[in-house]
Amino acid sequence: MENEMLEQNKQEKPVSLLTKALLTGFVGGVLWSMLGALAAYFNFTSVSPASFILRSWLQTGWSDSWLGQLISIFVIGVISVLLAIVYYGLFRKMKSIWPSAIFGVGLWFIVYFLLQPIFPNVPQMAELSMDTVVTTICLFLLYGIFVGYSISYDYLDSVTKKNV
Amino acid sequence: MKNKKNQSPISPKIKINENYMKEKIGVGTSFDVGFRDVTILKKTAHLYYLTGLCDSSIIVELLKKLVEINDNESNLRKVAEIVENRLVHQQVTRVKTMDEAVDQLLSGLIVLFIDGEDEAFVVDVRSYPGRSPQEPDTEKVVRGARDGYTENIIQNTALTRRRVRDERLRHEIVQVGERSKTDICISYIKDIADEGLVKKIKDEINKIDIDGLSMADKTIEEYLVKQGFNPFPLVRYTERPDVSANHLFEGHVLIMVDTSPSMIITPTTYFHHVQHAEEYRQAPVIGTFIRWVRFLGIFASVFLLPFWLLLVLEPSLLPKDLTFIGPNETGNIPIVIQIIMADIGIEFLRMAAIHTPTPLSTAMGLIAAVLIGQIAIDVGLFSAEVILYVAISAIGSFATPSYELSVANKISRILLLIITSIFGVPGFVIGSTLYILLLAMTRSLNTPYLWPFIPFNIKAIVHILIRVSVPMTKNRPSIVHPKNNYKQP
């Protein structure tokens, strides 16, 4: 078949797919935690990226300033790379946008419910204000879609070579 | 529908053909269908034409040649061959059925019947009324080509061909509309465009079964993308041949519809609607700057008003440094009502400006600016800050290059305003999330609408955030699934 010569029919190497997923994970973590920091600045949420990354261990003055937020955002980006690997390993074959949305919301439950005891600076779920809960759930949901949907789209795209 | 049409053949008896023409298309009743009777080598020949769509000087020339046959030829048995030879024009074809002949006649070609022949000659002498290429109003640039598409599909294909002299450029033409018989041209470059997409578009267009396409491209779009209640534009329009040539090179498929100067570019994403030819006419840095300012404007047109409203409703949200934001005195009317009233006022102006003649629109602007703006504040109807923010977001919508996108964003803004005023922070956050979520779920011809943001594609998003210089763009965008990925072979 002459078609195999065409660029569109060349198989993309799985390595590059994984690299893409890692990059998506990092950018996603940085982007949405930046929005989280902005939301915290405008008091939409009482929990900022710094409050569970840094302030659980460091109660110094700078950890609540912009520098603390910046470092936390970067750390979340790195953690997000790990999450992207998990998503790539487990759910990359999911087709629609919904599994990734559930992934995001599930992640929220893990962070705010299961892992809450690790972060002394994050109040218990029942004590969070309505605004905080809604804002953080929405951010996690969008983060989930951003990372999850991108990974599964890239995977399906490389398999089928057309939009699905 | 198309199969049910009975295909009546052309009769060798010219009287039968004449009656058919009288009955079916009303020769003699409709004044724009003309008819001329000549005798060639003792045989009657009938010439039909449509006044207004033909070039008379060519017809006269052809008639002259036909009549001269009587002086120069004598072979009575080969009339058809002689006539065909003497029809001195490059586009002469033979048709076998009356339906074909009538279709061609009504497109502006002339049809010649000869007694004793079961075929008719069709000569393309079309000359459609129309304007010459002009710069399109909605896509002006400071420098660069000033030609734009017109209402004539032949001119439009020519304007494209001028920029793409590739032998692999395909202009496929189909006719749609049982009564209007509108020509639709599907353009793509054969070794770049995705075959699946071309096939899908052709199938969708062939499935259209309708009387006529009086709104041309818009009607085709509605059949193609099945929009439903989604207000966002699912295809991009352009009237600039350079923009469409650029998209052809990238592997997009273009659809042109006769009688419309707007080309449909498919597939389209949200970010196709926030770009403008002007960015590519400036240095990359300037182009990037223009683009970022424009993004800011578009962002403000959606989120600025709801966000400000939120800060007014709940001043406790404001950080220490920004406490000056918000009106100093609460007016007599709730802020959200003021905003919506002012927004609708601007909408009045915008709509009125579309169909107000230019001399009157100056007066209209004066009334709007001085009377309504200033006096509404003095009377105590609006607070000054409302006017400021409504004006910024209105200018933001005007800065959106795609008119369709700006209107869709306006609707989103009003919905966000209402939901924010009712539910406060949760309303604003959930509303904004839904805005992104619904856009991410939208698909135009199977293309994710928010690509390359969601799903994320680093290379493509860099090309959207930064206007990269042309020598640096080596690949075509992956979203069109080009057959051949390299722009610089």
Side-chain angles (χ1 to χ4, degrees):
Chain A
M1 285 286 284
E2 56 168 340
N3 274 351
E4 279 163 27
M5 298 295 288
L6 295 171
E7 201 69 37
Q8 103 184 114
N9 294 337
K10 272 186 197 157
Q11 284 293 322
E12 233 174 287
K13 291 181 193 97
V15 180
S16 97
L17 259 187
L18 187 62
T19 328
K20 258 187 188 171
L22 300 185
L23 207 65
T24 307
F26 183 74
V27 174
V30 168
L31 179 73
W32 297 108
S33 58
M34 248 155 96
L35 268 179
L38 195 71
Y41 178 69
F42 279 102
N43 299 315
F44 282 28
T45 156
S46 55
V47 185
S48 72
S51 29
F52 55 89
I53 296 296
L54 282 183
R55 301 216 15 111
S56 300
W57 294 277
L58 280 170
Q59 291 292 335
T60 49
W62 66 269
S63 62
D64 203 23
S65 69
W66 61 269
L67 185 63
Q69 299 288 6
L70 215 63
I71 292 172
S72 313
I73 286 169
F74 183 79
V75 173
I76 290 178
V78 175
I79 295 173
S80 170
V81 170
L82 300 175
L83 287 171
I85 295 174
V86 171
Y87 197 94
Y88 182 83
L90 297 178
F91 311 118
R92 69 169 181 274
K93 290 183 182 170
M94 299 286 192
K95 247 185 192 167
S96 103
I97 202 168
W98 294 115
S100 57
I102 295 167
F103 168 74
V105 176
L107 204 63
W108 184 86
F109 268 101
I110 291 174
V111 170
Y112 282 83
F113 191 67
L114 297 181
L115 299 184
Q116 188 269 335
I118 304 180
F119 310 119
N121 202 38
V122 176
Q124 284 199 331
M125 204 154 69
E127 290 163 23
L128 292 171
S129 71
M130 178 72 178
D131 288 359
T132 306
V133 172
V134 169
T135 308
T136 46
I137 284 188
C138 282
L139 281 171
F140 271 82
L141 180 115
L142 288 174
Y143 166 79
I145 286 174
F146 185 88
V147 174
Y149 183 48
S150 305
I151 290 174
S152 50
Y153 174 85
D154 275 345
Y155 172 74
L156 281 169
D157 194 59
S158 72
V159 173
T160 59
K161 294 288 153 205
K162 60 178 186 240
N163 288 315
V164 279
Chain B
M1 284 292 281
K2 274 162 197 155
N3 305 337
K4 274 189 248 163
K5 210 197 271 175
N6 55 329
Q7 301 270 335
S8 53
I10 290 172
S11 160
K13 293 200 174 110
I14 204 160
K15 271 285 166 202
I16 295 177
N17 294 336
E18 195 182 345
N19 284 335
Y20 183 98
M21 295 301 257
K22 261 188 195 149
E23 258 176 52
K24 290 276 171 166
I25 56 172
V27 176
T29 315
S30 288
F31 85 97
D32 62 336
V33 189
F35 163 66
R36 172 78 162 86
D37 185 342
V38 283
T39 308
I40 302 166
L41 298 177
K42 294 182 184 158
K43 283 192 175 167
T44 324
H46 286 172
L47 181 99
Y48 294 89
Y49 59 91
L50 208 68
T51 57
L53 296 186
C54 302
D55 188 341
S56 294
S57 58
I58 302 178
I59 300 178
V60 171
E61 202 61 37
L62 288 175
L63 275 175
K64 239 188 240 167
K65 292 281 176 199
L66 286 179
V67 177
E68 275 173 14
I69 293 177
N70 291 328
D71 307 333
N72 303 329
E73 303 275 350
S74 54
N75 190 344
L76 294 182
R77 278 188 221 139
K78 287 197 169 174
V79 179
E81 285 80 354
I82 294 170
V83 167
E84 184 170 22
N85 208 22
R86 294 268 172 167
L87 284 172
V88 283
H89 194 276
Q90 76 272 28
Q91 295 191 34
V92 180
T93 44
R94 289 168 178 244
V95 292
K96 284 201 178 295
T97 64
M98 290 304 282
D99 302 288
E100 264 179 280
V102 168
D103 279 357
Q104 301 279 41
L105 170 63
L106 295 180
S107 329
L109 287 75
I110 55 171
V111 184
L112 183 73
F113 294 101
I114 300 167
D115 197 16
E117 296 295 329
D118 59 355
E119 284 179 322
F121 295 107
V122 171
V123 188
D124 193 343
V125 293
R126 270 180 288 197
S127 128
Y128 286 167
R131 61 193 173 104
S132 52
Q134 282 166 340
E135 184 170 28
D137 271 339
T138 48
E139 292 171 275
K140 286 197 166 140
V141 291
V142 178
R143 292 194 197 288
R146 301 251 187 272
D147 54 352
Y149 286 121
T150 65
E151 284 76 10
N152 184 332
I153 194 168
I154 304 295
Q155 258 177 31
N156 292 349
T157 52
L159 283 171
T160 314
R161 188 68 85 167
R162 284 260 287 134
R163 287 168 171 83
V164 190
R165 282 186 184 151
D166 190 356
E167 76 248 20
R168 288 153 290 195
L169 171 64
R170 294 286 177 272
H171 285 309
E172 287 189 37
I173 203 154
V174 283
Q175 281 196 335
V176 171
E178 207 48 40
R179 289 178 193 278
S180 72
K181 304 224 163 50
T182 311
D183 289 321
I184 295 174
C185 173
I186 304 161
S187 311
Y188 56 94
I189 297 182
K190 199 169 168 255
D191 64 337
I192 304 176
D194 180 18
E195 265 166 38
L197 178 67
V198 176
K199 188 171 175 309
K200 187 177 162 61
I201 290 174
K202 273 197 239 168
D203 288 349
E204 291 287 343
I205 288 180
N206 283 329
K207 265 195 275 173
I208 299 176
D209 190 6
I210 196 178
D211 258 12
L213 305 168
S214 40
M215 286 299 147
D217 45 346
K218 187 64 197 159
T219 316
I220 295 295
E221 181 205 322
E222 281 168 20
Y223 272 102
L224 208 59
V225 293
K226 301 179 182 72
Q227 188 143 19
F229 284 106
N230 184 350
F232 284 88
L234 296 184
V235 299
R236 181 183 174 184
Y237 287 105
T238 186
E239 295 188 30
R240 294 186 61 88
D242 43 6
V243 172
S244 57
N246 186 43
H247 282 88
L248 281 174
F249 290 135
E250 281 183 354
H252 288 264
V253 179
L254 261 62
I255 303 165
M256 4 182 141
V257 183
D258 197 16
T259 71
S260 164
S262 310
M263 306 292 114
I264 301 176
I265 299 172
T266 60
T268 317
T269 67
Y270 187 91
F271 295 98
H272 278 104
H273 295 279
V274 299
Q275 301 185 27
H276 192 275
E278 175 69 13
E279 294 149 13
Y280 292 92
R281 303 269 359 159
Q282 303 288 339
V285 178
I286 312 287
T288 306
F289 173 71
I290 296 176
R291 198 175 271 186
W292 280 57
V293 172
R294 179 173 295 129
F295 286 165
L296 203 65
I298 296 168
F299 188 79
S301 77
V302 182
F303 292 108
L304 180 70
L305 274 179
F307 189 59
W308 180 73
L309 174 69
L310 188 65
L311 295 180
V312 171
L313 292 178
E314 295 179 39
S316 62
L317 293 176
L318 281 169
K320 268 195 295 301
D321 310 334
L322 296 176
T323 36
F324 65 91
I325 290 175
N328 297 327
E329 46 190 281
T330 45
N332 309 315
I333 301 177
I335 294 284
V336 60
I337 306 286
Q338 290 186 26
I339 293 178
I340 291 176
M341 271 166 54
D343 222 9
I344 289 176
I346 288 182
E347 195 65 2
F348 282 159
L349 274 177
R350 199 183 55 80
M351 281 193 294
I354 294 177
H355 42 70
T356 310
T358 327
L360 293 183
S361 67
T362 323
M364 198 180 73
L366 214 68
I367 294 171
V370 178
L371 298 185
I372 300 179
Q374 188 54 45
I375 294 177
I377 296 173
D378 290 348
V379 167
L381 204 57
F382 290 165
S383 78
E385 237 175 322
V386 168
I387 303 268
L388 170 69
Y389 289 107
V390 168
I392 294 176
S393 81
I395 297 294
S397 340
F398 291 138
T400 314
S402 156
Y403 170 69
E404 291 89 353
L405 181 67
S406 76
V407 180
N409 275 339
K410 185 188 297 263
I411 290 181
S412 326
R413 173 173 80 217
I414 291 176
L415 290 179
L416 263 180
L417 275 172
I418 293 171
I419 191 175
T420 304
S421 72
I422 299 175
F423 299 108
V425 174
F428 178 74
V429 173
I430 290 176
S432 310
T433 307
L434 277 181
Y435 177 80
I436 299 175
L437 194 63
L438 291 177
L439 281 177
M441 283 165 58
T442 304
R443 280 165 169 270
S444 152
L445 291 169
N446 272 342
T447 309
Y449 196 53
L450 267 192
W451 185 93
F453 176 49
I454 299 174
F456 186 67
N457 183 317
I458 185 94
K459 252 190 212 164
I461 200 118
V462 165
H463 276 255
I464 282 173
L465 291 179
I466 296 165
R467 202 292 248 177
V468 182
S469 72
V470 176
M472 299 288 285
T473 49
K474 294 209 170 83
N475 296 321
R476 303 184 208 280
S478 66
I479 195 70
V480 298
H481 293 98
K483 281 188 199 167
N484 173 337
N485 202 15
Y486 293 100
K487 271 185 173 175
Q488 299 171 12

Short mmCIF file of all heavy atoms in Angstrom, two decimals, chain B residues 53 107 126-133 148-160 173 183 185 256-263:
data_model
loop_
_atom_site.label_atom_id
_atom_site.label_comp_id
_atom_site.label_asym_id
_atom_site.label_seq_id
_atom_site.Cartn_x
_atom_site.Cartn_y
_atom_site.Cartn_z
N LEU B 53 -28.25 36.84 -18.29
CA LEU B 53 -27.14 36.02 -17.82
C LEU B 53 -26.18 35.66 -18.96
O LEU B 53 -25.24 34.93 -18.75
CB LEU B 53 -27.65 34.74 -17.15
CG LEU B 53 -28.47 34.94 -15.88
CD1 LEU B 53 -28.78 33.61 -15.24
CD2 LEU B 53 -27.73 35.83 -14.89
N SER B 107 -29.03 28.21 -16.17
CA SER B 107 -27.80 28.75 -15.55
C SER B 107 -27.18 29.83 -16.42
O SER B 107 -26.14 30.38 -16.05
CB SER B 107 -26.75 27.67 -15.34
OG SER B 107 -27.30 26.44 -15.12
N ARG B 126 -22.04 32.35 -20.42
CA ARG B 126 -22.49 33.02 -19.20
C ARG B 126 -21.73 34.31 -18.92
O ARG B 126 -20.53 34.39 -19.15
CB ARG B 126 -22.28 32.11 -18.01
CG ARG B 126 -23.44 31.23 -17.73
CD ARG B 126 -23.16 30.37 -16.55
NE ARG B 126 -22.18 29.34 -16.88
CZ ARG B 126 -22.01 28.27 -16.12
NH1 ARG B 126 -22.73 28.10 -15.05
NH2 ARG B 126 -21.11 27.36 -16.46
N SER B 127 -22.46 35.28 -18.43
CA SER B 127 -21.79 36.46 -17.87
C SER B 127 -22.73 36.97 -16.80
O SER B 127 -23.78 37.52 -17.10
CB SER B 127 -21.55 37.47 -18.99
OG SER B 127 -22.03 38.71 -18.66
N TYR B 128 -22.38 36.69 -15.54
CA TYR B 128 -23.30 37.00 -14.45
C TYR B 128 -23.11 38.43 -13.99
O TYR B 128 -21.99 38.94 -13.96
CB TYR B 128 -23.04 36.07 -13.26
CG TYR B 128 -23.52 34.67 -13.45
CD1 TYR B 128 -23.13 33.66 -12.59
CD2 TYR B 128 -24.38 34.34 -14.50
CE1 TYR B 128 -23.58 32.36 -12.75
CE2 TYR B 128 -24.82 33.05 -14.66
CZ TYR B 128 -24.42 32.06 -13.79
OH TYR B 128 -24.86 30.78 -13.94
N PRO B 129 -24.21 39.06 -13.61
CA PRO B 129 -24.08 40.39 -13.03
C PRO B 129 -23.41 40.27 -11.66
O PRO B 129 -23.66 39.31 -10.94
CB PRO B 129 -25.52 40.87 -12.87
CG PRO B 129 -26.33 39.62 -12.82
CD PRO B 129 -25.61 38.62 -13.65
N GLY B 130 -22.54 41.19 -11.32
CA GLY B 130 -21.89 41.11 -10.02
C GLY B 130 -20.83 42.17 -9.90
O GLY B 130 -20.53 42.90 -10.85
N ARG B 131 -20.23 42.26 -8.70
CA ARG B 131 -19.22 43.29 -8.47
C ARG B 131 -17.85 42.68 -8.67
O ARG B 131 -17.69 41.46 -8.70
CB ARG B 131 -19.37 43.85 -7.06
CG ARG B 131 -19.18 42.78 -6.00
CD ARG B 131 -19.62 43.26 -4.64
NE ARG B 131 -19.58 42.17 -3.70
CZ ARG B 131 -18.64 42.01 -2.77
NH1 ARG B 131 -17.66 42.87 -2.68
NH2 ARG B 131 -18.66 40.98 -1.96
N SER B 132 -16.86 43.54 -8.75
CA SER B 132 -15.50 43.03 -8.87
C SER B 132 -14.91 42.92 -7.46
O SER B 132 -15.45 43.49 -6.52
CB SER B 132 -14.68 43.98 -9.73
OG SER B 132 -14.80 45.27 -9.24
N PRO B 133 -13.82 42.16 -7.29
CA PRO B 133 -13.28 41.93 -5.95
C PRO B 133 -12.99 43.23 -5.20
O PRO B 133 -12.39 44.15 -5.74
CB PRO B 133 -12.00 41.17 -6.23
CG PRO B 133 -12.24 40.48 -7.50
CD PRO B 133 -13.09 41.40 -8.30
N GLY B 148 -11.02 40.60 -2.31
CA GLY B 148 -11.87 39.76 -1.48
C GLY B 148 -12.78 38.95 -2.37
O GLY B 148 -12.93 39.27 -3.56
N TYR B 149 -13.35 37.92 -1.82
CA TYR B 149 -14.25 37.09 -2.62
C TYR B 149 -15.49 37.88 -2.98
O TYR B 149 -15.87 38.83 -2.31
CB TYR B 149 -14.63 35.84 -1.84
CG TYR B 149 -13.52 34.83 -1.77
CD1 TYR B 149 -13.01 34.41 -0.56
CD2 TYR B 149 -12.99 34.30 -2.94
CE1 TYR B 149 -12.00 33.47 -0.50
CE2 TYR B 149 -11.97 33.37 -2.88
CZ TYR B 149 -11.48 32.96 -1.66
OH TYR B 149 -10.48 32.04 -1.60
N THR B 150 -16.14 37.44 -4.07
CA THR B 150 -17.36 38.09 -4.51
C THR B 150 -18.49 37.07 -4.48
O THR B 150 -18.32 35.97 -3.96
CB THR B 150 -17.22 38.63 -5.94
OG1 THR B 150 -17.05 37.53 -6.81
CG2 THR B 150 -16.03 39.55 -6.06
N GLU B 151 -19.63 37.44 -5.07
CA GLU B 151 -20.77 36.54 -5.06
C GLU B 151 -20.69 35.51 -6.18
O GLU B 151 -21.57 34.68 -6.32
CB GLU B 151 -22.07 37.35 -5.19
CG GLU B 151 -22.48 38.07 -3.92
CD GLU B 151 -21.65 39.31 -3.65
OE1 GLU B 151 -20.88 39.72 -4.56
OE2 GLU B 151 -21.74 39.86 -2.54
N ASN B 152 -19.63 35.59 -7.00
CA ASN B 152 -19.56 34.73 -8.18
C ASN B 152 -18.59 33.59 -7.91
O ASN B 152 -17.40 33.80 -7.70
CB ASN B 152 -19.09 35.59 -9.35
CG ASN B 152 -19.07 34.84 -10.64
OD1 ASN B 152 -18.89 33.63 -10.65
ND2 ASN B 152 -19.24 35.55 -11.73
N ILE B 153 -19.09 32.36 -7.96
CA ILE B 153 -18.26 31.22 -7.55
C ILE B 153 -17.09 31.02 -8.52
O ILE B 153 -16.01 30.58 -8.12
CB ILE B 153 -19.13 29.94 -7.44
CG1 ILE B 153 -18.38 28.84 -6.69
CG2 ILE B 153 -19.58 29.44 -8.79
CD1 ILE B 153 -19.24 27.70 -6.29
N ILE B 154 -17.28 31.37 -9.79
CA ILE B 154 -16.21 31.16 -10.77
C ILE B 154 -15.05 32.11 -10.45
O ILE B 154 -13.88 31.72 -10.42
CB ILE B 154 -16.72 31.42 -12.20
CG1 ILE B 154 -17.92 30.53 -12.50
CG2 ILE B 154 -15.62 31.18 -13.22
CD1 ILE B 154 -17.63 29.05 -12.52
N GLN B 155 -15.41 33.37 -10.17
CA GLN B 155 -14.38 34.33 -9.76
C GLN B 155 -13.68 33.89 -8.48
O GLN B 155 -12.47 34.04 -8.33
CB GLN B 155 -15.02 35.69 -9.50
CG GLN B 155 -14.84 36.68 -10.62
CD GLN B 155 -15.56 37.97 -10.32
OE1 GLN B 155 -15.71 38.38 -9.17
NE2 GLN B 155 -16.02 38.61 -11.37
N ASN B 156 -14.46 33.31 -7.57
CA ASN B 156 -13.88 32.89 -6.29
C ASN B 156 -12.88 31.77 -6.46
O ASN B 156 -11.81 31.78 -5.85
CB ASN B 156 -14.99 32.47 -5.32
CG ASN B 156 -15.85 33.63 -4.90
OD1 ASN B 156 -15.51 34.77 -5.17
ND2 ASN B 156 -16.95 33.36 -4.25
N THR B 157 -13.24 30.78 -7.30
CA THR B 157 -12.27 29.71 -7.52
C THR B 157 -11.03 30.28 -8.19
O THR B 157 -9.91 29.86 -7.89
CB THR B 157 -12.86 28.59 -8.40
OG1 THR B 157 -13.39 29.18 -9.56
CG2 THR B 157 -13.91 27.81 -7.68
N ALA B 158 -11.24 31.26 -9.07
CA ALA B 158 -10.08 31.86 -9.74
C ALA B 158 -9.18 32.59 -8.75
O ALA B 158 -7.96 32.49 -8.82
CB ALA B 158 -10.56 32.82 -10.82
N LEU B 159 -9.80 33.31 -7.80
CA LEU B 159 -9.00 34.03 -6.79
C LEU B 159 -8.19 33.06 -5.95
O LEU B 159 -7.06 33.36 -5.56
CB LEU B 159 -9.92 34.86 -5.89
CG LEU B 159 -10.45 36.15 -6.49
CD1 LEU B 159 -11.52 36.75 -5.59
CD2 LEU B 159 -9.34 37.14 -6.69
N THR B 160 -8.77 31.90 -5.65
CA THR B 160 -8.02 30.89 -4.89
C THR B 160 -6.89 30.34 -5.75
O THR B 160 -5.75 30.21 -5.29
CB THR B 160 -8.95 29.75 -4.47
OG1 THR B 160 -10.13 30.31 -3.96
CG2 THR B 160 -8.31 28.88 -3.42
N ILE B 173 -17.28 20.39 -7.76
CA ILE B 173 -18.53 21.16 -7.75
C ILE B 173 -19.73 20.22 -7.67
O ILE B 173 -19.73 19.15 -8.27
CB ILE B 173 -18.60 22.09 -8.97
CG1 ILE B 173 -19.54 23.26 -8.69
CG2 ILE B 173 -19.02 21.35 -10.22
CD1 ILE B 173 -19.21 24.48 -9.48
N ASP B 183 -24.76 26.09 -7.00
CA ASP B 183 -23.46 25.44 -7.14
C ASP B 183 -22.71 25.54 -5.82
O ASP B 183 -22.65 26.61 -5.20
CB ASP B 183 -22.63 26.13 -8.22
CG ASP B 183 -23.18 25.85 -9.60
OD1 ASP B 183 -23.61 24.72 -9.82
OD2 ASP B 183 -23.18 26.78 -10.44
N CYS B 185 -18.89 24.47 -4.20
CA CYS B 185 -17.57 23.99 -4.56
C CYS B 185 -16.83 23.57 -3.29
O CYS B 185 -16.78 24.31 -2.32
CB CYS B 185 -16.82 25.09 -5.29
SG CYS B 185 -15.13 24.66 -5.60
N MET B 256 -17.17 26.65 -0.82
CA MET B 256 -17.70 27.91 -1.30
C MET B 256 -19.08 27.67 -1.89
O MET B 256 -19.31 26.67 -2.55
CB MET B 256 -16.83 28.57 -2.36
CG MET B 256 -15.64 27.86 -2.85
SD MET B 256 -14.81 28.92 -4.05
CE MET B 256 -13.12 28.61 -3.64
N VAL B 257 -19.96 28.60 -1.65
CA VAL B 257 -21.30 28.48 -2.16
C VAL B 257 -21.53 29.65 -3.10
O VAL B 257 -21.18 30.78 -2.76
CB VAL B 257 -22.32 28.50 -1.00
CG1 VAL B 257 -23.72 28.30 -1.53
CG2 VAL B 257 -21.99 27.44 0.01
N ASP B 258 -22.09 29.35 -4.27
CA ASP B 258 -22.36 30.41 -5.24
C ASP B 258 -23.32 31.41 -4.60
O ASP B 258 -24.17 31.05 -3.80
CB ASP B 258 -22.99 29.81 -6.50
CG ASP B 258 -22.91 30.77 -7.66
OD1 ASP B 258 -22.13 31.73 -7.57
OD2 ASP B 258 -23.61 30.56 -8.66
N THR B 259 -23.19 32.66 -4.96
CA THR B 259 -23.97 33.80 -4.47
C THR B 259 -23.55 34.23 -3.08
O THR B 259 -24.23 35.04 -2.48
CB THR B 259 -25.49 33.56 -4.45
OG1 THR B 259 -25.79 32.63 -3.41
CG2 THR B 259 -26.00 33.08 -5.76
N SER B 260 -22.45 33.72 -2.54
CA SER B 260 -21.99 34.23 -1.25
C SER B 260 -20.49 34.46 -1.29
O SER B 260 -19.75 33.62 -1.78
CB SER B 260 -22.32 33.24 -0.14
OG SER B 260 -21.57 33.58 0.99
N PRO B 261 -20.03 35.58 -0.76
CA PRO B 261 -18.59 35.84 -0.74
C PRO B 261 -17.89 35.21 0.46
O PRO B 261 -16.69 35.36 0.60
CB PRO B 261 -18.51 37.36 -0.67
CG PRO B 261 -19.74 37.76 0.05
CD PRO B 261 -20.79 36.75 -0.28
N SER B 262 -18.63 34.53 1.34
CA SER B 262 -18.00 33.96 2.54
C SER B 262 -17.67 32.50 2.31
O SER B 262 -18.54 31.71 1.96
CB SER B 262 -18.94 34.06 3.73
OG SER B 262 -19.43 35.36 3.85
N MET B 263 -16.39 32.17 2.48
CA MET B 263 -15.97 30.78 2.36
C MET B 263 -16.12 30.13 3.72
O MET B 263 -15.84 30.74 4.74
CB MET B 263 -14.50 30.69 1.97
CG MET B 263 -14.12 31.44 0.74
SD MET B 263 -14.85 30.70 -0.68
CE MET B 263 -15.96 32.01 -1.16
#
